[in-house]
Amino acid sequence: MKEKEKIRKTKRSTSTIVLLFIIFELIFTTVTSPFMLYYGPFKNVKSTVVGAAMTTYTLQWLATSFISDKKINKIMSEQTVAVIAQDNSKGVNFGVNVKSKNDNSIERYDVTGKKFKGSLLVINDPTRLKVGYSNNLGKEGELTSDIAKDNNAIAAINGGGFTDKASESLQTGVGANPSGVIMSNGKIVYNGMKNENQKRQAVAITKSGKLLVGAYSIKEMKSIGVTEAVSFGPAMIVNGEKTITKGDGGWGIAPRTCIAQRKDGAILLLVIDGRELQSIGATLREAQDVLYDNGAYNATNLDGGSSSTLFYNDEVINNPCGKSGERTVPSIIYVEKR
């Protein structure tokens, strides 16, 4: 009897030691992991984490709590995106020849990578692309799906960025104040540019259906015949050439929204989910490579993270990573029904 009690006590003692060891390991790993990450030999991982943190308002503390602003700036500067000007040597051709006007078809494809999944829409007629925007600019944004429905759109993605920062109560911006410019149906509905000659990363579409990517001024866009535009970037493919060939683009791993155009004029709308177990997200370089492999000749990044939303056939078909689902935004790029 005493022998059995001794065995039970020994088992309890061993279990307690194992439990304490596991707790110690968890605490030790939690405390030391950030220092191993930021001060260890894992340069690529460090760059990716810093990039992801610094491009998301609510996660910047993950970098600023452990490393100096000087080191953060150095890490960010090492992730270069080449600046390539679009080729408009043949007027406003940009190397694109639109072949499928009045084509109402839309193709949908699943996109997968080692750590992400997403969806790709191919719109064969680029003249169907328009810019929609919140009815309450300056006060609050609206959901991508709501703006799309207001414009009777068959498909839509979130558009340009915004400058309002996360509040303690909301933990996210509301999309009230757009950054740069919003142009819709040939009219400037919002202008945050200093003057018509100031250049800013743009995502613009001409009346003939050509996609502009890279830095443009309002004056340049008007002269080229732009009717739809928002401000965001960076450009990832220009004139058929990748802009990110060193590093991952400097924006870390996150949900992505991108737009591109093939040489035949077809528009590619790409949304990659992120911040979930089945899809962590993608770097800019990975998004760039997906578009390139699908024939993109010009391509650029749009607002990602919690804003990334893909609307198609009256429903949101991706998984927005915001706590309440879709995030309110100031603008969208949509495909009109015909």
Side-chain angles (χ1 to χ4, degrees), residues 2-122:
K2 288 183 179 180
E3 190 67 31
K4 288 183 179 180
E5 288 180 4
K6 191 181 293 184
I7 291 172
R8 280 198 293 269
K9 286 181 181 179
T10 302
K11 286 183 177 180
R12 283 198 297 269
S13 178
T14 302
S15 299
T16 302
I17 292 171
V18 170
L19 179 60
L20 289 172
F21 178 76
I22 292 172
I23 293 172
F24 170 78
E25 282 293 309
L26 289 172
I27 295 172
F28 179 80
T29 301
T30 302
V31 172
T32 60
S33 288
F35 295 96
M36 284 294 293
L37 173 64
Y38 291 124
Y39 298 99
F42 314 109
K43 185 177 180 180
N44 290 338
V45 177
K46 176 169 60 178
S47 298
T48 299
V49 172
V50 170
M54 295 310 295
T55 53
T56 307
Y57 289 130
T58 54
L59 297 178
Q60 289 183 0
W61 64 271
L62 287 173
T64 57
S65 298
F66 300 99
I67 51 179
S68 66
D69 291 342
K70 185 178 180 180
K71 286 187 177 180
I72 290 173
N73 291 334
K74 184 176 185 299
I75 290 169
M76 296 292 283
S77 67
E78 289 172 349
Q79 303 296 317
T80 57
V81 178
V83 177
I84 304 173
Q86 277 187 295
D87 180 13
N88 60 354
S89 58
K90 299 178 181 178
V92 291
N93 188 47
F94 298 115
V96 172
N97 183 21
V98 177
K99 296 182 178 179
S100 300
K101 286 187 178 179
N102 301 314
D103 183 338
N104 293 331
S105 64
I106 295 179
E107 303 163 32
R108 176 182 172 182
Y109 302 97
D110 292 329
V111 172
T112 56
K114 290 182 179 179
K115 57 182 180 300
F116 64 82
K117 64 179 181 65
S119 295
L120 179 73
L121 297 185
V122 180

Side-chain angles (χ1 to χ4, degrees), residues 286-302:
E286 288 170 330
Q288 167 196 261
D289 291 347
V290 168
L291 293 167
Y292 188 85
D293 291 343
N294 281 276
Y297 187 73
N298 291 303
T300 190
N301 181 51
L302 286 161

Side-chain angles (χ1 to χ4, degrees), residues 42-336:
F42 314 109
K43 185 177 180 180
N44 290 338
V45 177
K46 176 169 60 178
S47 298
T48 299
V49 172
V50 170
M54 295 310 295
T55 53
T56 307
Y57 289 130
T58 54
L59 297 178
Q60 289 183 0
W61 64 271
L62 287 173
T64 57
S65 298
F66 300 99
I67 51 179
S68 66
D69 291 342
K70 185 178 180 180
K71 286 187 177 180
I72 290 173
N73 291 334
K74 184 176 185 299
I75 290 169
M76 296 292 283
S77 67
E78 289 172 349
Q79 303 296 317
T80 57
V81 178
V83 177
I84 304 173
Q86 277 187 295
D87 180 13
N88 60 354
S89 58
K90 299 178 181 178
V92 291
N93 188 47
F94 298 115
V96 172
N97 183 21
V98 177
K99 296 182 178 179
S100 300
K101 286 187 178 179
N102 301 314
D103 183 338
N104 293 331
S105 64
I106 295 179
E107 303 163 32
R108 176 182 172 182
Y109 302 97
D110 292 329
V111 172
T112 56
K114 290 182 179 179
K115 57 182 180 300
F116 64 82
K117 64 179 181 65
S119 295
L120 179 73
L121 297 185
V122 180
I123 294 84
N124 291 299
D125 182 356
T127 62
R128 298 174 69 189
L129 272 287
K130 305 292 180 183
V131 166
Y133 52 92
S134 168
N135 290 314
N136 301 302
L137 289 178
K139 295 181 180 179
E140 61 182 356
E142 294 183 62
L143 302 180
T144 294
S145 57
D146 286 343
I147 302 175
K149 290 173 184 177
D150 285 346
N151 287 279
N152 195 31
I154 189 168
I157 53 174
N158 59 292
F162 48 91
T163 58
D164 46 308
K165 296 185 178 181
S167 66
E168 289 185 6
S169 59
L170 294 175
Q171 294 298 308
T172 183
V174 296
N177 303 303
S179 56
V181 66
I182 297 177
M183 186 185 298
S184 179
N185 290 312
K187 296 181 180 180
I188 296 176
V189 296
Y190 181 90
N191 189 358
M193 311 279 269
K194 293 179 180 178
N195 57 64
E196 283 201 337
N197 294 309
Q198 179 190 357
K199 289 192 175 185
R200 188 164 186 153
Q201 289 288 321
V203 184
I205 302 165
T206 68
K207 187 176 181 179
S208 61
K210 309 293 174 59
L211 176 69
L212 274 65
V213 300
Y216 284 91
S217 67
I218 291 176
K219 187 175 182 179
E220 286 175 321
M221 288 193 286
K222 284 182 176 179
S223 69
I224 295 171
V226 167
T227 57
E228 318 291 325
V230 296
S231 295
F232 215 79
M236 300 184 295
I237 302 171
V238 183
N239 308 328
E241 186 177 347
K242 295 179 181 180
T243 65
I244 307 169
T245 58
K246 179 183 177 183
D248 60 19
W251 289 38
I253 297 172
R256 299 285 172 213
T257 300
C258 309
I259 185 171
Q261 187 168 41
R262 300 190 314 216
K263 291 195 75 171
D264 65 359
I267 294 290
L268 311 178
L269 302 180
L270 173 67
V271 172
I272 294 174
D273 285 332
R275 299 174 189 165
E276 55 187 51
L277 289 176
Q278 60 268 40
S279 184
I280 298 172
T283 64
L284 287 183
R285 187 169 184 171
E286 288 170 330
Q288 167 196 261
D289 291 347
V290 168
L291 293 167
Y292 188 85
D293 291 343
N294 281 276
Y297 187 73
N298 291 303
T300 190
N301 181 51
L302 286 161
D303 192 16
S306 300
S307 298
S308 287
T309 305
L310 179 57
F311 174 86
Y312 183 51
N313 277 339
D314 293 321
E315 64 177 337
V316 174
I317 63 171
N318 76 310
N319 294 314
C321 68
K323 290 182 179 179
S324 56
E326 276 189 83
R327 180 190 205 175
T328 52
V329 295
S331 61
I332 69 169
I333 296 176
Y334 70 90
V335 183
E336 61 180 2

